[in-house]
Amino acid sequence: MAKSYSSIGISNIGQREENQDRYKILGLGLGDEWLIVVADGLGGHKGGAIAAEAIIDAASRCWQDRARKPDNQAFLLDLVQASQQAVQQAAMVSGLEPRSAIAALMIRNDQAISVHVGDCRVIQIQDEKFIKRTLDHSVAQIHVLQGRINDDEMGDHRDQNRLTSCIGGDEGPDPELERWDMSEHCTFIVCSDGFWELFTQEEMIEFDTLALTQANLENLVQERIDARTQHDNTTAVLLRLRSLPVLQPRKKPEKKRRGVRTKWLSLLLIGLLLVGVWLLLQKHNRTSNQGAAVPVGALTESSGPPAEDEALAPMPGEIDQIFESRKEGGFRETENNRNPGPAPIDTVNKEVSEPVDNIDQVAEKTGDVLRRDGLIGTNDSLLSDSGAGTAVGEAQIIRMQQEYKGVPVYSAELRATVKGGKIIHISGKPVSDIEIDIKPVLTYSEVIERYKSSITQNIKAEKTGQLLIFKEQKNYRLAWSGIVTTDGVDGKNIFSADDASLLVREELISRGNDAVGTEFKEK
């Protein structure tokens, strides 16, 4: 089958004074090579537009040099690094603190791979189903994974503007790679948070079936923005894939058939002529060359069978509609690509064939496979980040968190690739040797009070925390995780549930919110 590609890109200032979003579609007219980049500048850091522009320029340079990076994964990681360097350089020149989120989708060599940092997303829709999306690097996403809110509530949540990673600043970004199924019929959406906040997942499904043009997509977005107040910049690129039959070469028109009598007479004359030539050659060989050696060069190599007729070229205009592309035969994710390093991170990378109907079965059967192989214990289970009972799509990756007696295990994440109603691949970082009492010595409130008394900084913590199992070297311990603001800087803190000591702190990047005027930096 051949694939037809079409793209639409829009960017709306929303209800802001400046549009700090940027996007780029690279690959138009090249057939099956595409790079789509969306950058969403964080205005609260005074230079969001500068950061987004620097990222787009870096992406264009990387694209021009793509032949030197034939591996798509390596190309995208280089793009993130080049973007980080470009934004840091822009900061030095401007004297500002530019920051940006990014999402990029690369299609090449029958592969679709994305990378993102922050809360820009890549979304896939197919056959009136929401297949999957990338997971945001935000506090609101953490709330979703913990089951406190659902996907459609993220856009209006107070923690939506608090990011855990971005492009720019002294700390390097934490890029996350995702592999996508090159379906015969689907739509990819690469967008900023302003776009996905406007539409529920059910509403986005229609983007795969509607006959959208750039003009009516712009109108649809504007209508949604007009119904809100203080809405953010809104940017999206839709890339549609459609499979079409490959054009077959047209046969040359056959000549009109002659009459049967004429045909046989012609064959008879040719036969008689060949026999006469053969008799003359035999006579000549007997009288002139009898007993003579055959000179070198007298024998010639056969040229082989005659070449087949060349296929006729398609009619003008036909080739403009179709681009040849090898049909995708499936994919598998082979390593955990967050924080890529020289050594593989995953402790399991396994091909399987387990039929499933819904998300709950994916988690259950993945757990059964891991338990059978001794990779998790009898007290361990898996919890999916997708909705319970939700039917699986034709092709998607389901992320799961390992739990021990109902308590999440920090950094123990699994991914199951589902295709055609079956789990075909499992990868991730399970642990199997947990033996721990899950009753904490200290409550979350007690931990916060002890922590406050042990430091001199001003802190403000959320009222509730998440109990975790934290692995420290070879030992496991109970820990509390929560969002803590220290001297005005937000962070995700993980404390020991035994003595309130701080085990991990991950600082958050805030987009801010002009409308409510919070203490965080403005977007």
Side-chain angles (χ1 to χ4, degrees):
M1 300 291 285
K3 288 187 175 70
S4 170
Y5 297 82
S6 62
S7 64
I8 301 172
I10 63 104
S11 189
N12 190 305
I13 193 174
Q15 292 154 337
R16 295 285 195 261
E17 295 181 356
E18 179 187 18
N19 191 348
Q20 298 184 336
D21 286 0
R22 299 290 187 273
Y23 76 89
K24 191 78 171 181
I25 305 173
L26 295 160
L28 288 172
L30 293 181
D32 56 0
E33 284 193 20
W34 293 80
L35 176 64
I36 296 172
V37 182
V38 169
D40 180 0
L42 312 187
H45 292 267
K46 306 299 181 184
I50 293 174
E53 196 71 42
I55 289 173
I56 295 302
D57 289 344
S60 298
R61 292 192 297 271
C62 289
W63 178 256
Q64 294 298 325
D65 200 33
R66 66 189 182 280
R68 297 178 59 184
K69 284 288 182 182
D71 180 77
N72 292 343
Q73 176 175 308
F75 174 88
L76 290 174
L77 291 177
D78 279 359
L79 188 155
V80 170
Q81 185 60 34
S83 298
Q84 172 73 3
Q85 293 173 354
V87 173
Q88 287 179 323
Q89 180 66 30
M92 294 176 61
V93 173
S94 65
L96 302 175
E97 298 179 355
R99 304 283 191 278
S100 181
I102 182 178
L105 175 68
M106 177 82 168
I107 294 179
R108 182 172 59 170
N109 300 330
D110 259 357
Q111 293 181 340
I113 302 180
S114 68
V115 68
H116 75 285
V117 178
D119 58 358
C120 288
R121 290 182 180 177
V122 179
I123 299 165
Q124 187 180 32
I125 303 162
Q126 177 192 356
D127 295 334
E128 299 184 1
K129 293 180 182 178
F130 190 98
I131 301 301
K132 67 172 179 175
R133 69 166 176 87
T134 52
L135 295 182
D136 303 343
H137 302 151
S138 70
V139 178
Q141 182 67 73
I142 295 172
H143 292 322
V144 172
L145 297 177
Q146 293 175 342
R148 296 179 179 179
I149 61 175
N150 62 40
D151 257 29
D152 292 333
E153 293 172 332
M154 288 183 65
D156 297 321
H157 195 274
R158 66 182 184 276
D159 288 333
Q160 166 52 29
N161 292 327
R162 301 161 80 180
L163 303 184
T164 59
S165 185
C166 72
I167 302 290
D170 296 331
E171 293 187 12
D174 187 12
E176 185 170 356
L177 291 160
E178 190 75 69
R179 296 178 182 271
W180 306 81
D181 180 44
M182 285 285 286
S183 170
E184 296 181 3
H185 178 106
C186 71
T187 296
F188 287 106
I189 303 173
V190 186
C191 61
S192 65
D193 65 322
F195 183 83
W196 59 257
E197 288 173 0
L198 292 176
F199 303 96
T200 66
Q201 290 188 1
E202 288 296 320
E203 291 171 334
M204 285 190 188
I205 289 173
E206 298 182 9
F207 291 139
D208 190 45
T209 55
L210 291 175
L212 284 173
T213 64
Q214 180 158 344
N216 57 32
L217 180 58
E218 288 175 344
N219 292 337
L220 179 60
V221 167
Q222 189 62 57
E223 289 176 3
R224 294 296 178 96
I225 291 175
D226 290 342
R228 296 189 169 217
T229 58
Q230 298 299 322
H231 189 68
D232 198 3
N233 306 150
T234 300
T235 300
V237 177
L238 276 64
L239 180 66
R240 284 180 163 178
L241 280 67
R242 298 293 183 263
S243 290
L244 300 173
V246 178
L247 288 178
Q248 298 297 326
R250 295 195 306 277
K251 295 181 179 180
K252 288 184 176 181
E254 294 183 359
K255 295 182 179 180
K256 294 182 179 180
R257 296 181 64 183
R258 298 174 180 175
V260 176
R261 173 183 285 182
T262 304
K263 175 182 175 181
W264 284 110
L265 286 174
S266 299
L267 291 174
L268 180 60
L269 289 173
I270 293 172
L272 291 173
L273 180 60
L274 291 174
V275 171
V277 171
W278 182 78
L279 291 172
L280 288 173
L281 288 174
Q282 292 298 317
K283 181 178 180 181
H284 177 73
N285 287 338
R286 285 195 300 269
T287 58
S288 303
N289 294 326
Q290 189 170 7
V294 180
V296 176
L299 297 177
T300 60
E301 292 184 0
S302 171
S303 59
E308 296 180 0
D309 290 341
E310 293 183 358
L312 296 179
M315 292 292 290
E318 290 176 332
I319 197 65
D320 296 333
Q321 301 295 324
I322 295 181
F323 302 101
E324 289 295 339
S325 177
R326 293 187 302 276
K327 184 176 179 182
E328 178 75 16
F331 70 92
R332 61 185 185 126
E333 190 166 293
T334 58
E335 62 180 3
N336 186 339
N337 295 310
R338 183 175 285 201
N339 286 328
I345 298 174
D346 288 349
T347 55
V348 59
N349 197 329
K350 183 179 182 64
E351 293 183 358
V352 296
S353 180
E354 295 285 343
V356 290
D357 296 323
N358 55 51
I359 300 298
D360 294 334
Q361 287 187 5
V362 173
E364 179 182 348
K365 292 198 174 184
T366 301
D368 290 342
V369 171
L370 298 177
R371 201 171 291 109
R372 187 169 59 238
D373 292 347
L375 296 171
I376 62 175
T378 56
N379 291 316
D380 297 310
S381 59
L382 301 178
L383 179 66
S384 168
D385 61 13
S386 302
T390 305
V392 295
E394 176 61 25
Q396 65 187 115
I397 295 177
I398 309 297
R399 293 173 180 267
M400 293 159 287
Q401 172 75 51
Q402 182 178 345
E403 295 185 340
Y404 173 79
K405 296 183 178 181
V407 180
V409 182
Y410 183 70
S411 292
E413 300 174 354
L414 281 302
R415 297 177 305 281
T417 301
V418 179
K419 188 172 184 180
K422 291 183 178 181
I423 304 174
I424 63 172
H425 190 258
I426 298 171
S427 60
K429 301 179 293 181
V431 292
S432 61
D433 55 349
I434 304 175
E435 290 291 341
I436 189 175
D437 183 358
I438 61 170
K439 184 178 180 180
V441 174
L442 300 174
T443 66
Y444 181 67
S445 298
E446 291 171 337
V447 164
I448 294 300
E449 288 304 317
R450 288 199 183 189
Y451 182 63
K452 283 183 178 180
S453 64
S454 67
I455 62 173
T456 58
Q457 298 103 315
N458 295 320
I459 73 166
K460 181 180 179 181
E462 290 185 337
K463 293 182 179 180
T464 58
Q466 171 71 55
L467 187 64
L468 301 172
I469 293 174
F470 186 86
K471 186 174 185 179
E472 193 173 40
Q473 296 179 350
K474 295 183 179 181
N475 299 317
Y476 292 96
R477 62 195 303 178
L478 282 182
W480 286 105
S481 171
I483 304 302
V484 177
T485 304
T486 304
D487 286 343
V489 179
D490 296 332
K492 178 184 176 182
N493 287 21
I494 297 179
F495 302 98
S496 167
D498 296 328
D499 56 16
S501 59
L502 181 62
L503 303 176
V504 175
R505 175 174 170 82
E506 300 174 358
E507 290 195 353
L508 308 177
I509 302 96
S510 175
R511 290 177 166 277
N513 189 327
D514 322 298
V516 298
T518 66
E519 61 181 329
F520 310 123
K521 299 176 181 179
E522 293 182 358
K523 179 177 177 182

